[in-house]
Amino acid sequence: MRPIEKYVEAMENKDFAGLAELFTPDGILCDYCTTSASQQEYHIYGKEAINMFFRNKFGFRRYSILDAEVVNDKQAEFIANFGGYNIMAIATVRETDENGLIQRLTVRPK
């Protein structure tokens, strides 16, 4: 399974630990969709921070995705829900390491 497919699966299942395991220890996740929901952009650095961030977001039901579709080897489209705001989004795996772990992933409004 490709990294983008694993990312979508973890997000749909709200699996914060599994999501974090997709990233390198110093992996970076940047989410620019939140500005459309009147929130700060997310720039999350490191596997542990990604785990903690999504544990809180999923646990307090402040983030989820709907209708995800993998569109190619590096991208997926979905509806991102930020505490009641729905935003069409596209996630892109920018870099992976030799083991297929994500080094950099961005999420932008579509």
Side-chain angles (χ1 to χ4, degrees):
M1 192 180 300
R2 299 173 289 187
I4 193 67
E5 293 169 318
K6 292 177 185 178
Y7 169 79
V8 167
E9 181 177 64
M11 292 293 287
E12 288 178 327
N13 293 320
K14 297 183 174 114
D15 180 3
F16 56 86
L19 183 61
E21 288 302 313
L22 300 176
F23 287 82
T24 62
D26 60 347
I28 300 169
L29 187 147
C30 299
D31 191 331
Y32 300 97
C33 290
T34 53
T35 57
S36 298
S38 301
Q39 299 177 25
Q40 296 284 330
E41 298 172 349
Y42 299 137
H43 299 270
I44 311 160
Y45 302 93
K47 175 184 283 203
E48 291 179 32
I50 292 167
N51 181 315
M52 290 173 31
F53 177 82
F54 283 104
R55 176 189 310 241
N56 288 329
K57 287 294 182 186
F58 294 153
F60 290 106
R61 298 175 192 213
R62 303 299 297 165
Y63 189 80
S64 62
I65 68 169
L66 307 163
D67 299 331
E69 178 184 348
V70 174
V71 294
N72 61 44
D73 288 344
K74 302 233 180 231
Q75 294 182 315
E77 297 176 351
F78 49 83
I79 299 169
N81 181 290
F82 297 96
Y85 292 95
N86 288 328
I87 299 159
M88 289 299 301
I90 187 159
T92 304
V93 175
R94 302 276 180 200
E95 296 175 51
T96 57
D97 71 1
E98 64 279 352
N99 297 315
L101 295 176
I102 300 169
Q103 291 178 308
R104 184 172 191 79
L105 183 138
T106 59
V107 182
R108 296 187 183 277
K110 182 176 175 204

